[in-house]
Amino acid sequence: VADMIESEASAEVARLQEVAGKYAAAGGGDSSSDLALEFVDACRSALATSPSCATTLQSLLSSDPELLLSVGWELPHLLLPLVSADTGVSEAASATLRLAVSKCNPREMLLTTKECFFCFPAVEQQCLLLEMLGVILPRIKARPWEALETAVGAFERCAA
């Protein structure tokens, strides 16, 4: 049974690497948005099969900034469930989310983070979401008061 699980995890890692390679080879062409969606699907499948795939995901996204920008807004929903998992997986998931909020579109990340406040109630997850907001909010330059209002609204609903 352990060999079967390990084999499935290896297959999922190989698929993640394959799709990331295809995305890099497309170089932002017409097929890149389809490949980004395929990568998100591969991430969802890999993380469901083996949460330890989070370390591979972290490595792939750290080395491909374009792919990170394309899929970053999807990452909180995929990785937050792993934050309270075993230490190595949790660290990889947290590091990947920190990278995403520092590099991806801050308004998209703000909206996704706001949604996550309602989906992930664990203390570890909420603490990471607050940390993410601390990175996102200063990055928003145009009409920052709207972003702050969005964040405060999320806090109020969580506190209620």
Side-chain angles (χ1 to χ4, degrees):
V1 174
D3 289 340
M4 238 172 59
I5 293 171
E6 188 174 320
S7 175
E8 286 181 24
S10 295
E12 294 294 345
V13 166
R15 181 169 176 236
L16 273 176
Q17 293 169 330
E18 176 190 354
V19 177
K22 286 181 188 177
Y23 184 90
D30 293 338
S31 63
S32 63
S33 62
D34 290 339
L35 288 169
L37 292 174
E38 185 179 342
F39 184 79
V40 169
D41 287 340
C43 291
R44 192 172 284 113
S45 177
L47 294 170
T49 301
S50 175
S52 63
C53 290
T55 55
T56 302
L57 180 60
Q58 178 189 13
S59 173
L60 291 171
L61 293 174
S62 296
S63 64
D64 190 340
E66 289 298 318
L67 181 57
L68 176 66
L69 290 174
S70 294
V71 302
W73 60 277
E74 290 276 2
L75 295 175
H77 289 287
L78 295 173
L79 294 174
L80 276 167
L82 305 178
V83 168
S84 56
D86 80 55
T87 307
V89 171
S90 183
E91 287 175 13
S94 297
T96 304
L97 288 171
R98 287 183 188 100
L99 178 66
V101 297
S102 68
K103 302 292 183 189
C104 295
N105 180 313
R107 290 202 181 269
E108 288 177 359
M109 295 305 294
L110 175 65
L111 293 174
T112 301
T113 301
K114 176 185 167 189
E115 290 171 8
C116 288
F117 269 105
F118 305 106
C119 301
F120 301 102
V123 172
E124 298 91 354
Q125 295 162 337
Q126 294 279 314
C127 287
L128 181 58
L129 288 167
L130 288 171
E131 182 183 329
M132 290 166 59
L133 282 176
V135 174
I136 295 166
L137 290 172
R139 293 186 60 225
I140 296 176
K141 302 300 180 200
R143 300 189 319 255
W145 60 87
E146 289 176 357
L148 187 57
E149 185 178 324
T150 297
V152 169
F155 295 140
E156 287 174 342
R157 282 189 285 284
C158 284

